[in-house]
Amino acid sequence: MIAGMPVLPQSQSPDDLEFGPRRKSFSIDEALGGDWHGGSAFVTAWFNAMSLLFPLGEKFFIDSVVAFQDDIDDPKLREEIAAFRAQESTHRVHHQRYNERLCELRGYDLERFEKNERARMDWAYRELSPRRRLAGTVANEHLTAIMAHDMLSRDDALDNADPEIAALWRWHGVEETEHKAVAFDVHLAVGGTVSERRHALILNTFFFFKDTMRNLCIMLKHEGKLWSLREWGTGLKYLFIKPGMLRRVFPAWLRFFRRDFHPWQIDNRELIDEWERADKRAANAEHGSV
């Protein structure tokens, strides 16, 4: 930096964006014991399989971002790093409880689900540079952000789902939306390259779907439904046709490869505002019924 020159902001999020963790509780125990998403074993297992990845993944995300916090000069981005850490820590707690209760109720082996992910992360801590690990977090934050946008902008992704579990997923999606650019901005600030981010997205997309489908198949096999054509037909229709969540997020996934891409080029704060209004109405209704 040249003496006397102003310090350019490292955060590229909207100037008035402020966020932090919310104190929430969800009564999900009873529903987790069954096929809580419209009675579909496949679709239920799809969401459960994603949840099983989150606690270890979110620890990795926190570690990779916090490793560079002393290299950040912009007060706003430093505040966003702290908020990112707090939100992801809260997500870890909720999904760890979710996963433990799920495995208790349905007789699953939590260690078996986490084994491959844990081994790969141990390898990443050992073999990858801190900046490459940060690029991996940027990629995963893009995946969660685009799926959160789809889930929050359309009602059909959680149609027929248990209301409490749906509320947990929507809350998680809101906070992923709020901090969607933190890792990205840190990676830019410490000299991360477009090539690193593109390479990371390809690899992390592969491993995200590999791990999710592996966990899903373990659950379906446990339930005696692994070879059910009906379940696979219902599930693949859900993912790719109607509502087609994976089909719908593909254009947003591709946008990441643009050289000038930034997560806040899509300013979707209205989804956060809509959720907060709905959450407030639900809280008022619950309070009024007590």
Side-chain angles (χ1 to χ4, degrees):
M1 183 179 68
I2 301 174
M5 291 288 289
V7 177
L8 295 176
Q10 294 169 318
S11 169
Q12 296 185 36
S13 63
D15 291 340
D16 57 348
L17 177 69
E18 296 181 2
F19 58 90
R22 296 168 174 83
R23 294 181 178 273
K24 300 292 292 181
S25 61
F26 305 96
S27 301
I28 62 175
D29 286 20
E30 182 177 351
L32 282 177
D35 293 333
W36 56 264
H37 199 300
S40 168
F42 186 106
V43 180
T44 297
W46 168 261
F47 280 90
N48 289 344
M50 287 195 291
S51 178
L52 288 160
L53 301 178
F54 289 155
L56 290 176
E58 284 156 344
K59 180 183 185 303
F60 183 90
F61 304 159
I62 293 167
D63 290 346
S64 68
V65 170
V66 170
F68 290 98
Q69 64 183 352
D70 292 339
D71 299 304
I72 302 303
D73 301 317
D74 181 357
K76 186 173 191 297
L77 185 52
R78 290 180 68 90
E79 290 177 2
E80 289 171 347
I81 290 171
F84 169 87
R85 182 178 190 173
Q87 285 187 331
E88 293 288 50
S89 296
T90 304
H91 300 171
R92 283 189 67 202
V93 170
H94 277 280
H95 282 280
Q96 187 65 34
R97 290 173 180 165
Y98 179 126
N99 298 345
E100 290 175 357
R101 190 61 179 143
L102 171 71
C103 291
E104 289 170 4
L105 288 168
R106 306 199 70 159
Y108 300 154
D109 181 355
L110 181 56
E111 184 176 348
R112 182 184 182 191
F113 289 123
E114 293 182 341
K115 180 180 178 181
N116 287 8
E117 184 185 14
R118 193 182 298 276
R120 190 169 59 256
M121 289 184 176
D122 287 345
W123 175 87
Y125 281 114
R126 186 175 64 250
E127 301 292 339
L128 298 183
S129 69
R131 204 171 82 182
R132 292 300 293 271
R133 295 198 295 269
L134 178 60
T137 293
V138 173
N140 278 291
E141 288 295 306
H142 181 63
L143 293 175
T144 55
I146 62 178
M147 288 191 287
H149 178 92
D150 184 80
M151 180 178 64
L152 294 169
S153 61
R154 305 170 186 260
D155 294 331
D156 54 7
L158 290 168
D159 271 356
N160 301 317
D162 173 79
E164 282 290 302
I165 300 183
L168 183 152
W169 283 99
R170 290 191 179 100
W171 156 79
H172 191 158
V174 163
E175 297 199 348
E176 290 297 326
T177 301
E178 289 175 323
H179 68 235
K180 65 180 178 178
V182 175
F184 192 101
D185 285 343
V186 173
H187 192 252
L188 284 178
V190 300
T193 67
V194 173
S195 178
E196 285 174 347
R197 294 192 293 273
R198 289 172 174 170
H199 184 254
L201 183 63
I202 293 169
L203 283 179
N204 283 271
T205 300
F206 169 77
F207 283 114
F208 172 80
F209 287 108
K210 175 180 176 292
D211 290 346
T212 302
M213 291 305 297
R214 171 184 177 271
N215 289 347
L216 181 149
C217 288
I218 290 172
M219 285 184 274
L220 289 183
K221 183 177 181 181
H222 184 91
E223 304 299 332
K225 297 179 180 178
L226 179 60
W227 303 110
S228 169
L229 294 179
R230 179 179 179 181
E231 287 297 341
W232 281 89
T234 299
L236 295 176
K237 178 181 177 181
Y238 174 86
L239 294 176
F240 295 104
I241 301 174
K242 185 178 180 181
M245 180 177 66
L246 297 185
R247 169 182 53 80
R248 294 191 309 212
V249 303
F250 184 64
W253 183 86
L254 281 177
R255 277 197 295 270
F256 190 88
F257 292 93
R258 292 174 49 177
R259 180 162 290 275
D260 65 345
F261 172 79
H262 187 272
W264 280 110
Q265 287 170 345
I266 303 299
D267 189 345
N268 54 355
R269 283 175 292 169
E270 76 280 357
L271 298 178
I272 301 170
D273 295 339
E274 289 171 9
W275 177 85
E276 288 183 333
R277 289 193 293 270
D279 188 59
K280 186 175 181 179
R281 288 195 299 270
N284 289 339
E286 182 179 354
H287 181 75
S289 65
V290 174

